[in-house]
């Protein structure tokens, strides 16, 4: 589903050249649940953003669903991303003057059924009573569940989540990860960036990053529920 071939990303700044990713080779199969682990600055977010086609690599090739991102125009890449990839941000990125349903349908591809689809997703995520609430009226966990619904509205093949539990209490964090696990068990591919081990219990593979390099890969037992797996963590 996702292949990275010798992918590097660097930035030139006033203090010189910074290498965010250094010759990364990685394959993620369809229906994998992969956790990218590592401290701040290890390259996790850069890797997710590159997979989503929001940035171009400095070197290397990224292939998503047999499509080379380097061969796509910016417009085609945006359409491809909208149809195939849902992105969950750590800081939620909700529009403050739109209510929950409106925030979810904002990412939809269009059509009269979008509101119905959004309400069905929110009901599944336990957010039906908050459908008309503004982001300022929500808890951090409710904001992230809204963001998960937004990521799922177009029924993508892949969900990329950047520190989705970083601003949540443990109970809300487990809840959000369980929803991502549900998507995975239904055949979706999930890649989660995290600096702690909470997500590991939901994964079938954990990729350790440090200073832009992969330093280890752990294969886990395939989770049979949202609270199983052999990669540690506290589900």
């Amino acid at each position: 589903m996702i292949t990275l071939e010798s992918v590097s990303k660097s930035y030139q700044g006033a203090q010189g050249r910074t290498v965010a990713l250094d010759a990364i080779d990685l394959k993620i199969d369809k229906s994998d649940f992969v956790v990218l682990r590592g401290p701040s600055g290890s390259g996790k977010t850069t890797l997710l953003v590159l997979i989503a086609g929001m940035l171009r690599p400095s070197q290397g090739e990224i292939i998503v669903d047999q499509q080379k991102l380097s061969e796509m125009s910016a417009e085609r890449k945006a359409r491809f991303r909208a149809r195939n990839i849902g992105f969950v941000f750590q800081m939620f990125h909700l529009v403050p003057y739109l209510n929950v349903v409106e925030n979810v349908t904002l990412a939809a591809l269009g059509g009269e059924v979008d509101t119905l689809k959004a309400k069905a997703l929110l009901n599944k995520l336990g957010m039906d009573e908050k459908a008309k609430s503004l982001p300022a009226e929500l808890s951090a966990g409710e904001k992230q569940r809204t963001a998960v619904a937004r990521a799922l509205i177009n029924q993508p093949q892949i969900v990329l989540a950047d520190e989705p539990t970083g601003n949540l209490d443990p109970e809300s964090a487990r809840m959000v990860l369980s929803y991502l696990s549900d998507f995975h068990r239904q055949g979706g591919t999930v890649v989660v960036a995290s600096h702690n081990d909470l997500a590991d219990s939901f994964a079938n593979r954990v990729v350790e990053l440090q200073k832009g390099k992969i330093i280890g890969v752990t294969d886990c037992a395939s989770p049979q529920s949202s609270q199983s797996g052999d990669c540690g963590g506290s589900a």
Side-chain angles (χ1 to χ4, degrees):
M1 178 59 71
I2 302 167
T3 302
L4 290 89
E5 300 174 347
S6 300
V7 170
S8 297
K9 182 63 180 178
S10 60
Y11 303 91
Q12 188 66 41
Q15 304 301 317
R17 183 168 169 266
T18 299
V19 178
L21 289 176
D22 188 4
I24 294 290
D25 289 304
L26 180 64
K27 289 189 176 181
I28 297 172
D29 294 330
K30 182 178 174 62
S31 301
D32 268 354
F33 192 127
V34 173
V35 172
L36 306 177
R37 281 274 306 280
S40 178
S42 60
K44 306 183 303 298
T45 296
T46 300
L47 185 52
L48 285 185
V49 173
L50 286 168
I51 292 171
M54 298 177 188
L55 279 179
R56 288 183 177 273
S58 301
Q59 293 181 333
E61 187 69 71
I62 301 171
I63 303 166
V64 181
D65 193 24
Q66 304 181 11
Q67 303 287 317
K68 290 185 177 181
L69 298 187
S70 63
E71 296 179 352
M72 297 183 185
S73 65
E75 182 180 353
R76 182 184 167 200
K77 201 180 297 181
R79 290 198 303 268
F80 178 82
R81 182 167 54 246
R83 290 186 173 91
N84 295 283
I85 300 174
F87 206 106
V88 181
F89 300 89
Q90 179 181 0
M91 300 305 295
F92 320 127
H93 287 210
L94 302 178
V95 179
Y97 54 83
L98 298 180
N99 66 32
V100 167
V101 169
E102 291 166 339
N103 265 285
V104 173
T105 57
L106 192 64
L109 293 173
E112 295 180 0
V113 298
D114 286 346
T115 299
L116 294 177
K117 286 168 58 179
K119 288 181 177 179
L121 274 171
L122 291 169
N123 182 61
K124 183 178 179 181
L125 296 173
M127 287 288 294
D128 46 312
E129 294 184 359
K130 299 287 186 175
K132 297 298 183 181
S133 298
L134 294 173
E137 301 170 312
L138 305 177
S139 68
E142 290 166 344
K143 290 176 182 176
Q144 196 60 292
R145 279 185 276 165
T146 302
V148 170
R150 181 182 58 196
L152 297 177
I153 187 67
N154 292 326
Q155 298 178 301
Q157 300 184 73
I158 301 165
V159 169
L160 308 175
D162 184 18
E163 299 282 4
T165 63
N167 293 318
L168 306 183
D169 62 83
E171 182 179 354
S172 296
R174 293 187 188 98
M175 188 179 297
V176 166
L177 288 168
S178 72
Y179 295 134
L180 295 178
S181 183
D182 287 344
F183 170 78
H184 165 242
R185 287 199 301 274
Q186 293 165 13
T189 303
V190 179
V191 186
V192 174
S194 178
H195 65 276
N196 61 48
D197 64 358
L198 180 61
D200 295 4
S201 297
F202 298 83
N204 64 284
R205 193 146 49 109
V206 175
V207 177
E208 293 275 356
L209 289 165
Q210 191 172 85
K211 296 182 179 179
K213 290 180 176 291
I214 293 176
I215 61 169
V217 178
T218 302
D219 289 319
C220 316
S222 297
Q224 299 301 310
S225 75
S226 64
Q227 301 199 6
S228 66
D230 289 347
C231 278
S234 304

